[in-house]
Amino acid sequence: MPNIRKLWAETFGTFWLVFGGCGSAVFAAAFPELGIGFAGVALAFGLTVLTMAYAVGHVSGGHFNPAVTVGLWAGGRFAARDIVPYVGAQVVGAVLAAFALLFILQGQDGWAASGNWLAANGYGEHSPGHFSAAAGFFAEVLLTCFFLLVIMGSTHSQAPTGAAPIAIGLALTLIHLISIPLTNTSVNPARSTGPALVMGGWALGQLAFFWIAPLLGGALGGWIYRTLICED
């Protein structure tokens, strides 16, 4: 069992990721005349990881994402026995963030749940650009794979000291710039779980998709880095 402080760090870090990333999409993306748009939401997700990696990364490693945890295990940098506690802490943080967003939304005059009101991930008719499940699955696997390549490389002992959070945050920003129109961008099963559990309905029905694809991509990325690129 990991040190409890590591689990708290993962909980708070994932809370910030979901609250900041999904919050920017919910509150600011299409705000009348001043909306930040896809680019702003993409940057917000990147900034959540960058800031929390500096804040608590030294405590837990700064995963904030089950796909990262599994990918680091596949890359030989994380113990299998610690996967379940880490993932549990990440999911708790994501769900708490989704409820916090709901509480704030309910404070808006005349607010009523309609459409994708919590920035849940989706494919098919629930994809922002109406991309198919096959297209969304391929994108999620591919992008999570490359996310792990960036994480593994930037945190290597021979990489520039202190630069990893910047590279990882910018990588997540780029991933969102590519894939918000495809699936609303998951690459993180915890990020998908929080909004889906609070929204229910179609979002909950499609949730398994956003566990399988990122976990597969994360494991693939960790394995590729370890076996084909750079063995620690």
Side-chain angles (χ1 to χ4, degrees):
M1 181 73 174
N3 183 298
I4 191 65
R5 293 184 184 276
K6 294 183 178 183
L7 300 183
W8 276 119
E10 287 296 304
T11 299
F12 280 103
T14 313
F15 179 99
W16 188 237
L17 186 152
V18 174
F19 186 82
C22 293
S24 70
V26 169
F27 301 128
F31 191 81
E33 300 178 10
L34 296 174
I36 61 175
F38 283 172
V41 174
L43 181 60
F45 270 101
L47 288 173
T48 63
V49 170
L50 188 156
T51 53
M52 272 294 153
Y54 278 120
V56 301
H58 61 285
V59 178
S60 68
H63 299 191
F64 319 139
N65 180 344
V68 171
T69 299
V70 169
L72 291 174
W73 162 77
R77 295 207 196 154
F78 194 72
R81 66 179 180 275
D82 293 337
I83 291 176
V84 171
Y86 260 57
V87 171
Q90 292 155 4
V91 170
V92 167
V95 172
L96 289 175
F99 275 110
L101 291 172
L102 172 61
F103 179 80
I104 295 171
L105 280 168
Q106 290 173 334
Q108 184 180 30
D109 245 3
W111 179 82
S114 63
N116 189 355
W117 53 271
L118 207 51
N121 299 117
Y123 56 84
E125 65 178 310
H126 301 295
S127 154
H130 299 284
F131 285 85
S132 69
F137 192 89
F138 179 74
E140 288 285 336
V141 171
L142 182 66
L143 291 169
T144 314
C145 174
F146 272 85
F147 191 37
L148 261 294
L149 294 179
V150 172
I151 292 170
M152 294 284 291
S154 62
T155 57
H156 191 277
S157 60
Q158 296 179 14
T161 304
I166 298 171
I168 295 166
L170 289 176
L172 189 60
T173 298
L174 174 60
I175 286 168
H176 278 78
L177 288 172
I178 296 166
S179 61
I180 288 177
L182 309 182
T183 59
N184 234 8
T185 309
S186 173
V187 300
N188 184 337
R191 173 264 184 267
S192 300
T193 299
L197 286 180
V198 174
M199 281 183 61
W202 68 262
L204 195 56
Q206 293 191 351
L207 179 58
F209 179 101
F210 295 103
W211 274 86
I212 296 169
L215 289 178
L216 179 60
L220 183 62
W223 179 84
I224 287 174
Y225 191 87
R226 181 185 188 183
T227 59
L228 302 181
I229 299 176
C230 183
E231 183 178 9
D232 286 343

